[in-house]
Amino acid sequence: MKVGITCYPTYGGSGAVATELGIALAARGHEVHFISYEHPFRLPHFLPRVFFHEVSIGNYPLFEYPPYDLALAVRMHDVVLSQGLDLLHVHYAIPHATSAWIAKEMLREQGRRLPVVTTLHGTDITIVGQDHSYQAITRFSIERSDRITAVSQWLKDETIQAFGCSNHRIDVVPNFVDPTIFDRTRHGEGLHQELGGGRPVLMHISNFRPVKRVRDVVRAFAKVRAARPAVLVMVGDGPDRHAAEEEARTLGIAGDVRCLGKIDFVAPLLAAADLYISASESESFGLSALEALASGVPVVGSRVGGLPEVIRDGVTGALVPLGDTDAMAAAALRLLEPAPWAAASAAAAADARARFATHDVVARYEALYAEALAPGG
Ligand code: GMT
């Protein structure tokens, strides 16, 4: 198959999933064409059967807001025709599903059918899509897609509740992880020693947006730190990074908190972690949490959104009430004890492989593509 993939290329789970999907599809013999304004951050520069088509946004002094969605629709239309694409798979509804619908309509005028698969990821449904400025077009574009997928059952339910797309089939296709890359056994002790100097390493990876509640991560860590030596390694960057650093200074633990900034390839870091902390107030899935689990890192997370579908409470980690940093610290301290840690670490790696391995999930997308391509599909 020749598949066009559109996603946000910058840091973020939806771009990471879309890119890993494209790489996996190419490895399975498909031809994959990424269409976006920038090279996706997880895409190495050359891979057989993987191509990148940049959307250039023509500007004009009249445009205070250059219309990216239109430039994207035109580029999608061009690439479908020039490369003979079979279908488009867009990640994150806004504006990608809308641009895909425009491209599809332009092609229909020319007698060309273009199936569109839309994957809903999170805030496209829970926040941005429900903003009055976008709600009607988001619903319209989702409903015009030939196949709709959501990354968790929770997100599917939210979509139906927020948009009422109840007459439309939504398949739950979870995010996935490559267990050969996120594999603790591939990495030595060196990085763990470097990061923690012999102390347990707690880790958090995100884009530091308000929804991630990174100050709660620091507060929970401070309570762990009060009970035993440990370090907190924070990876990523975003609007609340400064607030997290400030919180660490205020709590007097700045010396034990290391903010590493944005790092593209996090597998070695996760393999050097003992515990992963997610304090998000909403998380449709939690890709970093899954990558941590696959790396044998138990996760302490807030009981929100799709996280309970990813973390098995009491088995691969712990779920605590949102904002309850006491409960978070207590769970972390329990899990840092040698026997509970060993059991949870082994269970986490095994569960991630059993339920979310790349091969199985990508096969489900292939099946959906085949359905959408079938006559009348
Ligand atoms: O919806 C977002 O916040 C953006 C998106 C992203 O690009 O990071 O994150 C969402 O999609 C990820 C991949 O499917 C999920 O793992 C994240 O849980 C989800 N974020 C939220 O729901 C806040």
Side-chain angles (χ1 to χ4, degrees):
M1 265 179 247
K2 290 188 177 186
V3 182
I5 292 184
T6 288
C7 61
Y8 284 104
T10 48
Y11 286 80
S14 60
V17 169
T19 309
E20 299 293 352
L21 173 62
I23 293 170
L25 287 167
R28 293 160 76 97
H30 303 289
E31 196 173 294
V32 176
H33 295 260
F34 286 95
I35 308 169
S36 190
Y37 59 86
E38 222 171 67
H39 207 261
F41 78 94
R42 277 214 184 173
L43 189 61
H45 287 286
F46 173 76
L47 281 175
R49 296 180 292 283
V50 176
F51 303 88
F52 170 63
H53 306 270
E54 185 172 329
V55 179
S56 60
I57 312 156
N59 211 343
Y60 186 68
L62 189 65
F63 294 158
E64 197 175 346
Y65 306 105
Y68 173 67
D69 28 18
L70 298 185
L72 175 60
V74 171
R75 193 75 171 123
M76 285 169 161
H77 173 264
D78 288 353
V79 176
V80 168
L81 288 178
S82 64
Q83 306 298 324
L85 300 191
D86 296 308
L87 62 80
L88 280 182
H89 186 174
V90 299
H91 293 258
Y92 204 91
I94 307 169
H96 303 147
T98 310
S99 302
W101 175 74
I102 296 171
K104 180 186 172 88
E105 286 300 298
M106 289 163 74
L107 288 158
R108 196 160 61 90
E109 289 275 296
Q110 296 165 279
R112 177 93 157 64
R113 177 169 173 255
L114 176 70
V116 172
V117 179
T118 296
T119 290
L120 310 172
H121 278 275
T123 51
D124 45 352
I125 297 304
T126 56
I127 300 179
V128 194
Q130 290 183 43
D131 181 322
H132 185 69
S133 322
Y134 301 114
Q135 185 164 28
I137 191 68
T138 303
R139 175 188 174 151
F140 174 84
S141 314
I142 291 172
E143 292 187 347
R144 289 299 176 281
S145 305
D146 297 273
R147 287 292 179 279
I148 310 162
T149 77
V151 296
S152 62
Q153 180 63 43
W154 176 84
L155 187 62
K156 173 179 173 174
D157 296 343
E158 279 291 296
T159 306
I160 292 168
Q161 202 194 321
F163 295 98
C165 308
S166 48
N167 292 332
H168 296 260
R169 170 178 149 194
I170 301 178
D171 287 275
V172 176
V173 182
N175 290 331
F176 54 89
V177 68
D178 185 341
T180 63
I181 293 177
F182 291 90
D183 178 358
R184 195 173 200 83
T185 64
R186 282 184 52 169
H187 304 272
E189 266 293 297
L191 191 51
H192 185 269
Q193 182 61 28
E194 167 70 28
L195 293 172
R199 293 163 293 174
V201 175
L202 280 67
M203 194 168 283
H204 172 81
I205 303 176
S206 77
N207 46 25
F208 286 61
R209 283 178 299 158
V211 72
K212 305 290 177 184
R213 292 177 70 117
V214 286
R215 271 190 301 191
D216 279 3
V217 175
V218 175
R219 286 177 192 143
F221 170 71
K223 291 171 185 170
V224 171
R225 182 64 200 79
R228 63 171 296 165
V231 296
L232 173 65
V233 175
M234 303 188 87
V235 184
D237 212 331
D240 282 352
R241 174 171 172 178
H242 178 74
E245 289 171 335
E246 193 56 43
E247 190 73 24
R249 276 192 288 275
T250 307
L251 295 172
I253 50 161
D256 293 325
V257 177
R258 296 180 69 175
C259 291
L260 304 186
K262 287 180 181 173
I263 293 175
D264 285 353
F265 188 59
V266 292
L269 282 169
L270 281 169
D274 296 293
L275 214 57
Y276 185 89
I277 308 284
S278 169
S280 297
E281 70 184 39
S282 173
E283 202 68 73
S284 65
F285 185 89
L287 181 65
S288 296
L290 173 61
E291 292 177 341
L293 294 171
S295 309
V297 183
V299 178
V300 176
S302 34
R303 190 187 299 280
V304 298
L307 279 179
E309 295 172 51
V310 179
I311 304 161
R312 288 201 197 277
D313 191 18
V315 181
T316 64
L319 293 165
V320 300
L322 173 63
D324 189 343
T325 54
D326 285 337
M328 219 169 241
L333 286 166
R334 263 195 316 277
L335 279 163
L336 285 173
E337 292 301 319
W341 184 85
S345 169
D351 191 49
R353 279 157 181 72
R355 296 196 294 142
F356 302 108
T358 304
H359 176 275
D360 301 335
V361 178
V362 173
R364 293 186 56 192
Y365 279 121
E366 283 176 325
L368 276 178
Y369 297 166
E371 268 184 39
L373 279 167

